[in-house]
Amino acid sequence: MTSTMEWIRRHYGVPARHGMRITYDGKPATIVGAGNAGLRLRVDGERRIVPTHPCWRIVYPPVPEPARPRGWCAHCGTDRAMTKDGVMGKHHQHGRSWGTYSSTTWSKPCPGVGKPPTHRVINQTHPGEQKDISA
Ligand SMILES: [Zn+2]
């Protein structure tokens, strides 16, 4: 199971996270949520929540390069470290099973381990660089 925010990171190659401080249209803002394949953010000092495209007028903070390259697991769709051979490193899948009165969490090795990722994890700071159409 993946979150919308994770889908946005995978699909657009940006480091978007809940609560992340970003610059939107030149103003400081905070990411407050995700939905409909877009982000919701609040510009500092404004009450309004702005729904926006993850690559539209947003500048993300730089994310340090990880010690090991990371990839998106083709099986579970999560962001995991890769081995030097360029395949997915060891990781587990996590889930939750519901019983009559309570739930239990489970964890098992992911079948995607040792296989190539769908693509590398990238963290673009200026994903948009789109033409200014506001004029
Ligand atoms: Zn996996």
Side-chain angles (χ1 to χ4, degrees):
M1 197 166 94
T2 57
S3 69
T4 304
M5 197 69 85
E6 190 167 52
W7 183 89
I8 287 171
R9 289 198 294 274
R10 189 169 69 231
H11 196 78
Y12 295 107
V14 296
R17 289 180 189 281
H18 283 276
M20 178 177 259
R21 300 283 294 156
I22 49 131
T23 302
Y24 173 71
D25 203 15
K27 290 171 283 200
T30 304
I31 296 174
V32 296
N36 296 327
L39 290 174
R40 290 195 297 273
L41 50 87
R42 180 186 277 123
V43 174
D44 285 11
E46 292 184 18
R47 296 178 63 91
R48 194 166 59 98
I49 301 289
V50 183
T52 186
H53 187 282
C55 299
W56 180 244
R57 294 182 179 178
I58 297 179
V59 178
Y60 293 91
V63 173
E65 280 296 316
R68 290 163 67 188
R70 298 178 71 83
W72 291 103
C73 176
H75 186 85
C76 64
T78 57
D79 159 359
R80 301 293 182 188
M82 291 159 57
T83 71
K84 61 182 180 342
D85 300 319
V87 297
M88 298 306 295
K90 282 199 180 71
H91 61 279
H92 281 64
Q93 279 185 291
H94 303 279
R96 181 176 287 255
S97 303
W98 291 89
T100 308
Y101 301 111
S102 63
S103 65
T104 50
T105 54
W106 54 262
S107 167
K108 63 184 181 188
C110 177
V113 172
K115 305 213 173 92
T118 57
H119 57 293
R120 293 285 191 96
V121 173
I122 52 170
N123 292 295
Q124 302 179 92
T125 53
H126 291 66
E129 300 297 327
Q130 286 131 331
K131 290 188 284 291
D132 183 6
I133 59 162
S134 65

